[in-house]
Amino acid sequence: MKQTTLTCLTLLCSGLYVSGQVTFPRNGAYDERAGRYAFTHATLVTDPGTVLQDATLLIENGLVIAAGGSVAIPEGTVVTDLKGNYIYPSFIDLHAAYGMPESSAPPRTAGRAAPQLESQKKGVYGWNQAIHAEQSAAALFAVQETKAAALRKAGFGTVLSHLQDGIVRGTGALVTLHTGPAGKAVLKSEASAHFSFSKGTSTQNYPTSAMGAVALLRQTYYDADWYEKGGKAEETNLSLEAFNRIKKLPSFFEAGDKWALLRADNTGKEFGVQYILKGKGDEYQRMDAIKQRKVSLIIPLNFPETYDVSDAWDAEVVTLAELKHWELAPANAAFLAEQEIPFAFTATGLKNPSDFLDRLRTAVAYGLPKEKALEALTTTPARLIRAGQQVGALKKGFIANFLITSGDLFDKETVLYENWVQGTPYIVRNMHTPDLRGTYAFTLNDQPAGRLQVGGSRSAPDYQLVLQDSTRVTPRVAVVNELFSMTYSAGEHTNGTIRLTGWLGGGGLTGSGELADGTPVTWKAALAAPFTAPPAREEPARPPEGRGNVWYPFTGLGGEQLPVQVPILVKNTTVWTNEQEGLLTGTDVLVQNGKISRIGKSLPIPTGTQVIDGTGKHLTSGIIDEHSHIALFSVNEGSQSSSAEVRMSDVINPDDVNIYRQLAGGVTTAQLLHGSANAIGGQSAVIKLKWGASPEALWLPEARSIKFALGENVKQSNWGDAVRVRYPQTRMGVEQVYYDHFIRAREYDQAWKRYNALSNKSGARAPRRDLELDALAEILHDKRFITCHSYVQSEINMLMSVADSLKFRINTFTHILEGYKLADKMAARNIGGSAFADWWAYKMEVKEAIPYNAALMAREGVVVSINSDDAEMARRLNQEAGKVVNFGGMTEEEAWKMVTLNPAKLLRLDDRLGSIKPGKDGDLVLWNNHPLSIYARPEYTIIDGAIYFSREEDALRRARLTREKARLIQKSLEAKSKGAPTQSPQSRMPRMWHCEDITGEDIHQHEGGER
């Protein structure tokens, strides 16, 4: 290649027009040269779909003037001949913190610290410190030369930068990686709005949970709308003013894992906002759900390192899910491209940006088409940030951001030479550095001394010196432009190091140096044989053979596909109908289209029906757990005395292995409750245990409950002296919480009724939408139903009295271990009881619990269910029901209803669940023995006509798990032997939530799985 005027290195040192800003005075002489350059005879990639051979790129004043095969070059242009080289548009990263100040959360103190209930932010801002709508990246931006250089070396020329702190993070700035004045680098000062589920550096207690983060963001949207429509007449709120400004910008959401992506998308859809979602790199695990959302993604290339499983005990610690993710993560982008899901890449998450190009090439090797890879770095991010006429391509009028490479960008041998940003060159590797690869005759003082072999890649050559006595030495070599230096030790033949320095010329290398004893020498390395590259290996369209498949759910006992609904006939079995017919022997049950179709003897078998022989077995409806905390990412939003605005449906974890374990115990439905950290907890989620399906497929939105709580947990008896700040601190205070909130909810409801009754709403201002009071108003209208954590008789009486006086009703007292003392009052108010069969003496509040409680309540006419409140106990709820026969003399059928039909009644789902009756859901369990027996175990667990557990399939899954883990361990060992970087296995046990867990769970901690 040849330059007719100046070298790029000279240009870099000269003063260019971009060195100043128009409105800024300059210290020294003004340099107003146009900066006009032409790059000729290049392979020019103007955009991902356009490749021009022997083309010219002409730039001036930092912009592209022309790009094509026939470009007129004005006189005075600096011309560079790039024959044999490539030009690409520079990359764009839409998730960066470049130019932003460091932000870090305050250090955690030992023990439980006093809660900070109110915001400490100065100024007329909103009530929560995690809302930073007023934050402006442009106002904070400062050029960071070291970070810019690292990103440029990775190929980036433009980034969308924002301060990554808070749930609402303010505006982002689109900036180039030009290191001149900041005002020149900023292309768009308010380019985007940014959001997340992490409260960041906020020291304020709320929110402490993932569902609290969702609720806070939802409430902020509603508050901003109210403020815009007249609320600012009542208060001044700079946070809401700023929020209303930024919500019209392209909205970017740093979500997290695959389920957090869906949670963020749900939040945006509620307000007509289509977030651009930044993921974690595990999107391939739920491609179906993501594709349905029609979202655009930003994905990292931070593939996990190989697990070091050379120690058998360490290998036990690694879960199969972790091993499979290690294997499949590099194919994530390829999976997305196959499904035509738009995505852009980010360097965020890499320990070193210099790894980016290698990771990009790995993604291509795993099946990502090169054109799609380039789109993800250029045109797609430009389109998403609405800068498709400025960056991302090399067309007339576009900013002159481009890369000069030695060849195809995705070839691992290709060298990135220069990254031009806004028409300014930044040297990554000197393109004039010679290619020294080949075999050289090596002489010292004109005497043969061996041969120098230079191989490897052009970007990273390797050197080996073979001396006359056949000793092989790996010398240390440094090459700077045409200057060459080499040091080596000849082993047993020399005591010390030989140092040689020289230069390139005359078909080889020549120079001088010193032997180990200080004797001066001259040396030469004359090219004897040119380098011959090994034949190019065709990259596989897919990763190496033997790669595993995605499992659903992505855990050790998952399957390659989800269960499918089919017609099922269970023949000749004992049917526990839970209806007037009672037990039916020798009976068939037919399930079609997910519903119970027919019950009878010797039923005809429709074509395509799966027949299950139930001879000698028992068929029941599925067990329903009225009180559970499985399948959740967090359980308590305990930062305030009421968290009625939070929804457990926002934090459903369909991959939780406890779902599968409970399917193996015959459970088909569970109510996922908020914990008991506050008087008014969150909105419940009733799910069917469709393990591995999407959260929406599990959730039954028609079941509308909410968790209340009484007792020690609510008044924070066990939280420690430091936290005696949050109201209430006494049982009397708990009562006042209920009065206060329901009185306000009634006033709120009446305000909306008055507004909605107006025939002409022009001029009338709607009340502020309050998500917390919405839920309480639903209780007043009997549209949401209370399940109350309760132990002590006096408090239970108190809440019934409050409900009577404020005219709302309580649906269920859960735990209710002193229910036997006031069962008559509960029955008179039609309040149900969901209890343990025989728990007592585990804390002071239950010291008067008795095992006869459930039977005594039932005899008073209370609808009683037996619940678990425990992931382990739920696996044997059939045995818990059996205890009621022993303690209290209940009949077997009455006891069985306590884990089937009765919880269905308490959940108000008995029209479709809890018994075997034509028209009801096909949720069935076939037991090998009497269901109340300690020897009983499910053979099949069926939900909506699909088999979600079978004993036979379970054995196959366990064998497959063993084989798959063994395969991946061997693959890991092989990767380590070939030099792959490794990580030490770390034990990660999934969290099992309980009602009294009062700690929050960060939204990004969604890992773990079955081994």
Side-chain angles (χ1 to χ4, degrees):
M1 66 198 74
K2 181 175 71 174
Q3 293 185 305
T4 59
T5 309
L6 296 172
T7 66
C8 290
L9 187 60
T10 304
L11 292 173
L12 182 62
C13 298
S14 66
L16 301 177
Y17 84 102
V18 290
S19 63
Q21 294 175 242
V22 174
T23 60
F24 281 55
R26 306 181 204 179
N27 180 26
Y30 282 58
D31 186 348
E32 301 295 348
R33 286 177 291 174
R36 187 169 62 239
Y37 311 104
F39 302 87
T40 62
H41 305 300
T43 299
L44 178 59
V45 182
T46 60
D47 60 60
T50 307
V51 181
L52 306 176
Q53 301 296 333
D54 195 22
T56 295
L57 176 68
L58 178 64
I59 68 170
E60 183 175 348
N61 284 331
L63 299 176
V64 175
I65 302 302
S70 179
V71 174
I73 301 175
E75 188 177 347
T77 302
V78 179
V79 179
T80 302
D81 184 349
L82 290 181
K83 186 175 183 180
N85 295 287
Y86 283 59
I87 300 177
Y88 289 89
S90 295
F91 305 157
I92 305 167
D93 191 333
L94 295 182
H95 186 80
Y98 167 69
M100 296 295 103
E102 294 290 333
S103 59
S104 58
R108 292 186 177 183
T109 56
R112 186 174 294 278
Q116 178 194 322
L117 300 182
E118 297 179 356
S119 173
Q120 295 179 351
K121 183 188 287 188
K122 295 180 179 179
V124 191
Y125 293 103
W127 72 276
N128 195 280
Q129 284 181 207
I131 305 299
H132 305 297
E134 72 287 348
Q135 205 160 251
S136 167
L140 298 168
F141 178 74
V143 171
Q144 296 172 328
E145 192 158 352
T146 301
K147 291 182 178 180
L151 288 167
R152 287 195 303 264
K153 287 179 181 178
F156 292 95
T158 308
V159 299
L160 179 63
S161 192
H162 74 282
L163 188 60
Q164 297 175 10
D165 180 27
I167 290 172
V168 179
R169 297 173 165 184
T171 56
L174 186 66
V175 302
T176 70
L177 297 175
H178 185 275
T179 52
K184 197 71 181 180
V186 176
L187 302 181
K188 287 186 177 183
S189 59
E190 289 195 341
S192 52
H194 293 266
F195 306 84
S196 81
F197 285 132
S198 171
K199 67 180 183 181
T201 60
S202 171
T203 53
Q204 195 170 351
N205 258 33
Y206 188 89
T208 62
S209 66
M211 66 244 185
V214 174
L216 176 58
L217 184 55
R218 293 177 65 226
Q219 187 63 66
T220 302
Y221 272 105
Y222 283 118
D223 286 351
D225 182 65
W226 167 82
Y227 191 83
E228 191 172 41
K229 292 176 179 176
K232 55 188 172 184
E234 296 186 26
E235 67 174 59
T236 297
N237 188 319
L238 297 180
S239 296
L240 296 181
E241 287 181 14
F243 192 90
N244 282 323
R245 287 196 304 271
I246 72 171
K247 67 183 183 182
K248 301 177 180 65
L249 298 170
S251 295
F252 291 77
F253 203 112
E254 183 181 8
D257 69 10
K258 56 186 184 288
W259 300 127
L261 283 179
L262 302 185
R263 184 182 309 128
D265 188 61
N266 288 340
T267 304
K269 291 285 198 301
E270 183 176 354
F271 303 97
V273 178
Q274 182 60 74
Y275 291 127
I276 299 158
L277 301 169
K278 193 270 178 181
K280 188 179 178 181
D282 61 354
E283 294 75 24
Y284 67 93
Q285 296 173 17
R286 290 318 309 220
M287 205 68 63
D288 53 344
I290 291 172
K291 185 174 182 179
Q292 290 172 5
R293 303 304 184 92
K294 301 186 185 306
V295 299
S296 297
L297 304 176
I298 301 171
I299 60 171
L301 290 171
N302 55 336
F303 313 139
E305 293 180 339
T306 304
Y307 287 95
D308 186 351
V309 290
S310 51
D311 185 290
W313 287 3
D314 283 348
E316 283 293 311
V317 172
V318 183
T319 68
L320 182 62
E322 290 172 322
L323 288 170
K324 286 187 73 65
H325 181 57
W326 162 73
E327 179 184 44
L328 293 172
N332 184 49
F335 283 123
L336 291 171
E338 280 179 9
Q339 297 298 318
E340 298 183 344
I341 297 171
F343 63 92
F345 286 125
T346 177
T348 299
L350 293 175
K351 294 178 181 177
N352 192 331
S354 63
D355 294 332
F356 182 82
L357 283 174
D358 285 340
R359 300 298 180 89
L360 178 66
R361 290 160 180 164
T362 298
V364 170
Y366 271 70
L368 176 64
K370 294 179 180 180
E371 184 176 325
K372 290 291 184 183
L374 192 56
E375 282 180 11
L377 289 163
T378 55
T379 53
T380 296
R383 173 179 56 81
L384 293 176
I385 198 56
R386 301 177 188 173
Q389 300 302 312
Q390 287 181 285
V391 291
L394 296 174
K395 300 177 182 178
K396 184 176 181 179
F398 277 60
I399 294 171
N401 286 2
F402 58 93
L403 309 174
I404 300 176
T405 68
S406 64
D408 185 329
L409 179 67
F410 301 102
D411 187 333
K412 64 180 181 181
E413 299 291 328
T414 293
V415 180
L416 172 56
Y417 288 132
E418 297 179 5
N419 188 343
W420 287 64
V421 181
Q422 290 182 280
T424 298
Y426 294 92
I427 307 302
V428 176
R429 183 181 176 89
N430 190 340
M431 71 173 69
H432 302 296
T433 299
D435 183 359
L436 295 179
R437 291 178 298 174
T439 300
Y440 298 81
F442 179 57
T443 63
L444 290 174
N445 289 334
D446 294 325
Q447 297 299 312
R451 64 183 184 274
L452 175 64
Q453 296 174 337
V454 186
S457 66
R458 182 172 182 176
S459 59
D462 56 67
Y463 299 83
Q464 190 169 70
L465 193 58
V466 182
L467 301 179
Q468 285 293 90
D469 60 1
S470 299
T471 301
R472 291 181 174 270
V473 180
T474 300
R476 291 185 178 182
V477 173
V479 181
V480 179
N481 296 327
E482 297 182 357
L483 187 65
F484 181 96
S485 63
M486 177 172 68
T487 60
Y488 68 93
S489 173
E492 61 182 8
H493 301 287
T494 303
N495 294 320
T497 299
I498 296 173
R499 295 168 294 126
L500 306 175
T501 303
W503 56 90
L504 178 66
L509 299 161
T510 185
S512 60
E514 286 186 358
L515 300 180
D517 60 6
T519 303
V521 293
T522 60
W523 66 277
K524 291 181 181 179
L527 184 64
F531 175 74
T532 303
R537 184 172 61 89
E538 188 71 23
E539 290 289 353
R542 274 278 175 246
E545 291 184 11
R547 190 197 74 190
N549 297 319
V550 178
W551 286 8
Y552 302 95
F554 200 75
T555 69
L557 290 171
E560 292 186 4
Q561 62 182 18
L562 292 172
V564 179
Q565 186 184 93
V566 295
I568 297 174
L569 180 68
V570 183
K571 290 186 63 66
N572 192 35
T573 191
T574 299
V575 180
W576 292 57
T577 66
N578 277 355
E579 295 287 341
Q580 201 169 19
E581 295 81 1
L583 269 67
L584 303 175
T585 59
T587 301
D588 303 348
V589 175
L590 178 64
V591 177
Q592 293 178 302
N593 299 317
K595 298 287 185 181
I596 298 170
S597 175
R598 297 184 63 189
I599 303 172
K601 295 181 182 292
S602 301
L603 294 179
I605 304 174
T607 303
T609 297
Q610 181 174 346
V611 178
I612 299 173
D613 184 6
T615 302
K617 301 181 172 114
H618 295 251
L619 186 70
T620 71
S621 56
I623 290 174
I624 301 171
D625 191 353
E626 190 276 342
H627 186 143
S628 178
H629 301 294
I630 65 164
L632 292 171
F633 287 121
S634 55
V635 71
N636 261 309
E637 179 52 65
S639 53
Q640 301 180 148
S641 58
S642 169
S643 59
E645 72 280 0
V646 308
R647 306 176 299 193
M648 308 314 292
S649 58
D650 288 327
V651 288
I652 295 172
N653 176 12
D655 292 348
D656 185 358
V657 71
N658 288 301
I659 296 177
Y660 185 71
R661 291 168 179 165
Q662 292 182 19
L663 285 166
V667 181
T668 57
T669 304
Q671 178 172 222
L672 311 185
L673 290 171
H674 188 275
S676 55
N678 33 16
I680 301 174
Q683 301 166 34
S684 310
V686 175
I687 65 168
K688 289 198 176 187
L689 304 192
K690 297 181 179 180
W691 193 41
S694 67
E696 290 81 4
L698 274 68
W699 180 40
L700 302 180
E702 62 271 30
R704 299 170 62 80
S705 296
I706 188 169
K707 175 75 173 290
F708 280 26
L710 302 168
E712 295 178 359
N713 300 348
V714 178
K715 70 185 188 67
Q716 303 171 326
S717 298
N718 305 315
W719 292 30
D721 292 338
V723 300
R724 297 196 179 279
V725 176
R726 193 201 77 181
Y727 185 87
Q729 291 291 308
T730 65
R731 298 178 194 268
M732 297 178 291
V734 173
E735 180 179 14
Q736 290 309 306
V737 166
Y738 292 128
Y739 272 116
D740 174 71
H741 281 76
F742 275 102
I743 290 171
R744 289 194 296 115
R746 187 165 58 193
E747 293 171 348
Y748 172 80
D749 184 56
Q750 290 169 350
W752 273 105
K753 284 179 179 177
R754 289 192 297 270
Y755 174 77
N756 290 329
L758 296 174
S759 57
N760 182 6
K761 293 185 175 63
S762 62
R765 187 163 69 246
R768 169 182 171 268
R769 176 84 183 272
D770 189 312
L771 295 176
E772 178 188 24
L773 296 181
D774 275 349
L776 299 182
E778 287 176 343
I779 296 171
L780 294 173
H781 288 287
D782 223 24
K783 293 181 179 178
R784 188 168 296 280
F785 308 103
I786 297 170
T787 295
C788 186
H789 164 111
S790 54
Y791 288 110
V792 179
Q793 176 187 18
S794 59
E795 286 191 295
I796 298 164
N797 276 324
M798 174 272 289
L799 187 56
M800 289 192 293
S801 175
V802 172
D804 291 344
S805 65
L806 294 178
K807 295 182 172 50
F808 66 88
R809 68 178 300 269
I810 300 160
N811 189 77
T812 309
F813 280 116
T814 190
H815 302 315
I816 194 65
L817 296 187
E818 291 189 17
Y820 66 93
K821 296 181 180 180
L822 34 70
D824 55 339
K825 296 180 181 180
M826 291 171 60
R829 292 169 173 81
N830 195 26
I831 301 174
S834 185
F836 302 122
D838 62 350
W839 279 26
W840 59 79
Y842 55 90
K843 64 177 182 175
M844 286 300 294
E845 286 184 319
V846 297
K847 64 181 180 179
E848 295 187 29
I850 59 174
Y852 305 96
N853 179 51
L856 292 173
M857 286 194 294
R859 288 183 181 138
E860 288 295 326
V862 176
V863 177
V864 178
S865 75
I866 301 298
N867 66 54
S868 74
D869 190 19
D870 179 79
E872 286 296 307
M873 183 186 289
R875 302 167 68 178
R876 53 183 184 275
L877 275 174
N878 63 312
Q879 296 177 26
E880 296 300 301
K883 293 176 181 178
V884 183
V885 178
N886 185 47
F887 294 114
M890 305 295 290
T891 69
E892 291 179 346
E893 289 184 67
E894 288 173 329
W896 186 248
K897 288 178 182 178
M898 288 186 177
V899 292
T900 52
L901 184 58
N902 288 4
K905 289 178 178 178
L906 295 179
L907 297 177
R908 298 175 180 249
L909 293 172
D910 52 307
D911 61 330
R912 55 183 291 193
L913 303 177
S915 65
I916 300 178
K917 178 180 179 181
K920 285 198 169 187
D921 292 0
D923 298 355
L924 303 170
V925 182
L926 184 65
W927 303 83
N928 70 329
N929 207 319
H930 188 295
L932 296 177
S933 168
I934 61 171
Y935 301 107
R937 66 183 190 186
E939 297 291 331
Y940 293 91
T941 302
I942 302 166
I943 301 176
D944 290 338
I947 298 174
Y948 277 85
F949 174 83
S950 80
R951 189 68 52 184
E952 181 181 5
E953 172 66 18
D954 179 65
L956 295 175
R957 290 188 180 216
R958 293 179 184 279
R960 183 177 62 213
L961 185 159
T962 300
R963 290 194 305 271
E964 183 74 347
K965 187 167 185 181
R967 180 185 71 82
L968 287 166
I969 286 175
Q970 292 303 311
K971 189 172 183 177
S972 301
L973 292 171
E974 182 182 4
K976 180 186 177 183
S977 71
K978 292 180 178 179
T982 61
Q983 59 175 311
S984 298
Q986 301 292 325
S987 179
R988 295 184 180 91
M989 298 304 295
R991 181 70 180 265
M992 290 197 183
W993 294 108
H994 295 87
C995 193
E996 299 178 2
D997 287 335
I998 54 178
T999 57
E1001 176 81 337
D1002 183 81
I1003 194 168
H1004 297 298
Q1005 296 173 351
H1006 294 180
E1007 299 182 357
E1010 185 68 16
R1011 293 176 188 166

